[in-house]
Amino acid sequence: MTDESRTGAAPPPDAGTIAARVRRGEVSAVETARETLSCIDRTAHLHAFTEVWPEEALERARSIDGALARGADLPLAGASLAVKASEGTGSHQADALIGAGAVPVGSTSVPGPGTAWKTWGHTDAGRTLNPWAPDVVPGGSSAGSAVAVATGAVPWATASDGAGSTRIPAAWCGVLGYKPTTGLLPARDRAGLTVGGPIARTVADLELYRRVVLGALPAPAPVRVRVAWSGTLGFNTPEPEVAGLAERALRRWERGSDTVEVVDTPIALSDPGVVWFARRGAGPDTRAVVGRGDREALAELFSRVDLLATPTTPNPPHPHAGPGEVMSVGFTWLFNLTGHPAVSLPAGRTARGLPVGLHLVAAHRADAFLLSAAADSERAATPALWPG
């Protein structure tokens, strides 16, 4: 089976498609919620959810059906939504999605105490399992959100990202994760590193999230999209198979698009580890001084190119015993410091069949352009992964 193929049945529709069907009356929000709850039950052995809310979900779905009958305009009508347990339904992003008609069905797992690495999820029933291989982790900290989306239990889920916690589990579960420009959403931590975002199966749903949660943003459209590739950023040592899959996904996009050009430009940034921990410990007052060299280097880079592409992680999903010495956040956490928007797209699967991601980064507040480029990549080259 190739990287481009799905296993098992075709994946279920995305949130935008579901909402359109509910608005047209082809299916009710209640029927949609019942199917979601059934799918959650069928995939319960993966331990994606810490709580499931069947009564509340059906009550919310009935109210949506009633509101539509009265002529309400709900762009997300009946689209099931899982919410990250550490945020629940009270976050800004969840509130906006629910207000537009999404139906929250449960909370998804995050890591528990006991390890320094946070690329796993904890529930009362056991650790969260990667749907592609139960002996490896799904990534984290938005572990359950990625698994719930990857299995088709829900079309999308809320997540949050302080060092890669949206993008890493998306990459390792074969789905998509989007970290908006820092500042477009209220920070989720005192240091201002953690920003909310969605995990979804299609770029169309990432864009739907952007429009509903973030509102209108400028979307300049360069005649030719110039992409700089870096397999290291100057400080990572990724596994060759992972870096190779990400670069091949980028090159497939270049070959399959009339507008994309991958340019050869040297990129030598500094390992942000010390700065990231200092920022997390000291809080937002350090923003003006930490990471200044990388900020300037990135500003200069984005004056010459439109996107920066890297692997999402240096490594594939690791066993539940831990990642060893590898820093799985090696390609992601710099952009929590600098605030740039970023998205992880499926890049294919390793020889063992484990998903990895292609990471695209754009200039500040160029979120609409970033997702437009991601949609072009999805049309031209992104492998469709589905564990079925």
Side-chain angles (χ1 to χ4, degrees), residues 11-15 18 148-156 174-176 199-206 346 378 385-386:
D14 62 11
I18 292 169
V149 172
T151 59
V154 291
W156 57 2
V175 289
L176 294 81
I199 291 177
R201 285 195 300 273
T202 67
V203 178
D205 274 357
L206 300 185
E378 185 180 59
L385 305 183
W386 174 241

Side-chain angles (χ1 to χ4, degrees), residues 138 146 165-177 199 344 355:
S165 290
T166 297
R167 292 162 286 166
I168 292 170
W172 286 356
C173 290
V175 289
L176 294 81
I199 291 177
S344 178

Side-chain angles (χ1 to χ4, degrees), residues 40 48-54 56 82-83 85 105-109 123-124:
I40 290 173
F49 286 85
T50 58
E51 293 182 352
V52 182
W53 309 318
E56 295 89 341
V83 295
V105 295
S107 59
T108 56
S109 67
T123 75
D124 290 342

Side-chain angles (χ1 to χ4, degrees), residues 42-368:
R42 292 195 300 271
T43 57
H45 61 286
L46 297 174
H47 307 149
F49 286 85
T50 58
E51 293 182 352
V52 182
W53 309 318
E55 293 83 5
E56 295 89 341
L58 290 170
E59 181 180 356
R60 169 67 177 161
R62 290 187 194 99
S63 71
I64 289 169
D65 286 333
L68 291 173
R70 295 188 296 273
D73 180 17
L74 296 172
L76 305 184
S80 299
L81 173 73
V83 295
K84 187 174 180 177
S86 55
E87 291 193 352
T89 57
S91 67
H92 176 89
Q93 59 180 347
D95 183 66
L97 295 168
I98 295 167
V103 176
V105 295
S107 59
T108 56
S109 67
V110 295
T115 67
W117 45 271
K118 298 298 180 183
T119 48
W120 57 290
H122 168 80
T123 75
D124 290 342
R127 285 189 173 180
T128 307
L129 308 180
N130 191 305
W132 292 88
D135 62 329
V136 299
V137 298
S141 62
S142 306
S145 287
V147 174
V149 172
T151 59
V154 291
W156 57 2
T158 63
S160 57
D161 192 315
S165 290
T166 297
R167 292 162 286 166
I168 292 170
W172 286 356
C173 290
V175 289
L176 294 81
Y178 162 46
K179 184 198 84 68
T181 297
T182 300
L184 295 180
L185 286 169
R188 299 294 300 170
D189 64 334
R190 62 183 290 272
L193 290 167
T194 303
V195 60
I199 291 177
R201 285 195 300 273
T202 67
V203 178
D205 274 357
L206 300 185
E207 173 60 18
L208 186 56
Y209 170 98
R210 185 192 67 79
R211 294 201 309 269
V212 169
V213 177
L214 304 180
L217 291 170
V223 174
R224 191 149 189 87
V225 179
R226 293 167 56 84
V227 186
W229 162 256
S230 177
T232 68
L233 289 181
F235 56 86
N236 286 290
T237 307
E239 292 190 23
E241 185 180 25
V242 172
L245 284 166
E247 184 173 11
R248 285 196 291 277
L250 177 62
R251 300 293 178 178
R252 283 196 301 270
W253 179 24
E254 182 182 33
R255 292 192 301 271
S257 174
D258 295 330
T259 62
V260 175
E261 177 187 6
V262 179
V263 299
D264 184 15
T265 183
I267 300 169
L269 304 174
S270 57
D271 188 332
V274 171
V275 172
W276 189 92
F277 282 109
R279 167 81 165 270
R280 189 179 69 166
D285 292 342
T286 61
R287 289 181 190 178
V289 294
V290 298
R292 181 175 294 159
D294 285 337
R295 290 175 189 274
E296 293 173 351
L298 286 166
E300 194 279 330
L301 176 68
F302 285 119
S303 72
R304 294 183 286 111
V305 301
D306 304 296
L307 293 171
L308 168 62
T310 75
T312 304
T313 60
N315 51 330
H318 59 75
H320 291 275
E325 298 300 315
V326 177
M327 294 296 289
S328 301
V329 297
F331 286 104
T332 53
W333 60 347
L334 172 62
F335 304 104
N336 296 88
L337 283 167
T338 65
H340 290 82
V343 63
S344 178
L345 306 173
R349 293 185 291 140
T350 67
R352 200 199 147 187
L354 301 177
V356 295
L358 170 66
H359 189 223
L360 302 180
V361 184
H364 291 120
R365 299 185 68 85
D367 296 59

